Amino acid sequence: MNMLILRHFADVPVVEGIKFKDVSFALNGNLMLLFQAAESLFNPKDGPVDPHEVFPFRIEFLNQDGTSIAAVSGAAPRLFQVQELPDQDLLFYGMERTRTGTNTYIMNSSGTFTRDLALDRPINQMNTLPNGSFWVAYADQAIFGSGVGKGGLVKFNADGFVEWSFNSSRKNYDLGLISDCEAMNVVSESDIWFWYYTDHHLVHLRNETLVGVWRDLDEISGLHGSTSFALHEMNALFSGGYHAKHQLVMVNLDTLHHQDLLPCRPDGEPLQDFRSRARGSKMVLWDQSAIYITDLREWDG
């Protein structure tokens, strides 16, 4: 298996009592790191923990060279993801902040929660856009429920109302139902790519109009369960799926030629137990100690 040497982006800041939980891309391409105090879902003495209990969190903003440039702190229920909105607002997905079922909430730059949204759950991924609208890719439990998540892949406007959903429009594209929208890449305000189960198709939409479908990727077993992919021209770099979690898979979308890649630190040591996110041509990978990045625009194969 060929090695892919990753660029070291930054060491994970150490904050006492705070756990490093997730990475996301800001609207300008910078990175946002999500930290939150460690918590237990079950106390053997007292039983289940109140899901509405709040815990301290911190968002660290890193610029393109990995330098910390800003931070926001607060308290919230268990958080899973964060995205940047216009005017430095933040969109969070986590446990319900109130008892009304609102699992997604907006916080302004002063650290005050200003609005709650009931967007259904579980959510696999969120991506915001500069105009304030945002895309949500849902997991199967939401899709086979009765809320907005049954749309599979849903675009919301800046007020949190549904603009479009794939499962209600799929017959226009002659495509099967999304049972689990495993990964998406929102490359611009008009273009989105997504990868979904059960068909294991890669789909490209522009302004909700079908541009292309790659139907034969289900034959590449290493992609099944992939949760992120980066794109440049006709190359797609996928995180490894269920049976290939410690590797990446590069696919040429013209020929469907693919190769397995072993992601490695700059010293050649394989990266183990990592997670990843991608947007546009960039994929960021991280463990609990460091953050790494690769950009397909710079990849020489």
Side-chain angles (χ1 to χ4, degrees):
M1 184 183 301
N2 291 331
M3 294 194 306
L4 176 60
I5 302 299
L6 304 168
R7 176 166 63 90
H8 177 270
F9 188 78
D11 290 328
V12 175
V14 177
V15 182
E16 186 174 355
I18 299 287
K19 182 182 179 181
F20 179 38
K21 299 189 73 172
D22 198 34
V23 177
S24 56
F25 286 92
L27 291 174
N28 63 0
N30 289 341
L31 292 186
M32 299 185 294
L33 313 186
L34 170 61
F35 299 82
Q36 193 169 31
E39 77 285 346
S40 173
L41 293 181
F42 190 87
N43 183 313
K45 180 179 178 181
D46 302 323
V49 172
D50 181 355
H52 309 287
E53 184 178 356
V54 299
F55 303 91
F57 72 84
R58 180 179 177 87
I59 309 296
E60 195 91 17
F61 294 82
L62 306 183
N63 66 12
Q64 302 287 335
D65 65 5
T67 303
S68 178
I69 53 175
V72 175
S73 299
R78 289 188 301 128
L79 297 173
F80 307 127
Q81 294 181 44
V82 61
Q83 285 281 296
E84 186 182 32
L85 290 166
D87 301 321
Q88 298 181 312
D89 288 352
L90 297 174
L91 174 67
F92 290 94
Y93 162 53
M95 297 295 289
E96 290 90 345
R97 197 172 73 87
T98 67
R99 298 181 185 276
T100 59
T102 52
N103 63 305
T104 318
Y105 17 94
I106 294 173
M107 189 182 78
N108 64 21
S109 58
S110 300
T112 301
F113 286 104
T114 59
R115 189 149 50 102
D116 294 339
L117 304 173
L119 298 187
D120 211 355
R121 66 174 191 178
I123 289 171
N124 283 335
Q125 191 177 345
M126 303 187 303
N127 273 171
T128 52
L129 295 170
N131 64 7
S133 62
F134 53 94
W135 289 92
V136 177
Y138 285 99
D140 53 358
Q141 298 98 318
I143 292 170
F144 293 104
S146 57
V148 294
K150 64 185 179 182
L153 175 68
V154 181
K155 186 178 184 182
F156 295 87
N157 65 20
D159 294 317
F161 295 105
V162 174
E163 283 189 354
W164 177 91
S165 71
F166 176 83
N167 280 346
S168 63
S169 308
R170 63 185 178 85
K171 292 182 180 178
N172 298 332
Y173 314 125
D174 191 29
L175 291 170
L177 184 82
I178 290 179
S179 297
D180 194 331
C181 193
E182 296 177 327
M184 68 174 171
N185 189 329
V186 181
V187 299
S188 69
E189 291 199 44
S190 57
D191 284 76
I192 179 171
W193 297 64
F194 60 97
W195 167 251
Y196 73 97
Y197 177 81
T198 55
D199 287 339
H200 288 123
H201 291 345
L202 179 66
V203 180
H204 178 197
L205 300 178
R206 178 172 297 137
N207 296 319
E208 290 77 69
T209 299
L210 185 66
V211 176
V213 182
W214 286 261
R215 300 175 186 268
D216 298 324
L217 297 184
D218 60 344
E219 298 178 4
I220 304 174
S221 60
L223 300 186
H224 296 177
S226 174
T227 58
S228 67
F229 61 92
L231 295 157
H232 178 56
E233 296 179 342
M234 293 306 291
N235 289 315
L237 179 66
F238 287 83
S239 63
Y242 301 123
H243 305 296
K245 291 185 177 180
H246 299 302
Q247 68 185 53
L248 305 176
V249 183
M250 176 67 83
V251 182
N252 182 290
L253 299 178
D254 277 333
T255 64
L256 296 189
H257 172 75
H258 64 278
Q259 60 175 316
D260 297 336
L261 299 170
L262 185 66
C264 296
R265 299 181 177 92
D267 63 3
E269 183 71 19
L271 187 63
Q272 301 286 341
D273 298 322
F274 64 87
R275 296 178 59 200
S276 63
R277 298 273 186 207
R279 191 150 188 182
S281 62
K282 295 180 179 180
M283 177 178 286
V284 59
L285 306 92
W286 71 93
D287 56 20
Q288 285 298 309
S289 62
I291 301 163
Y292 304 89
I293 198 163
T294 187
D295 189 339
L296 294 193
R297 293 179 184 272
E298 304 168 357
W299 195 72
D300 60 11

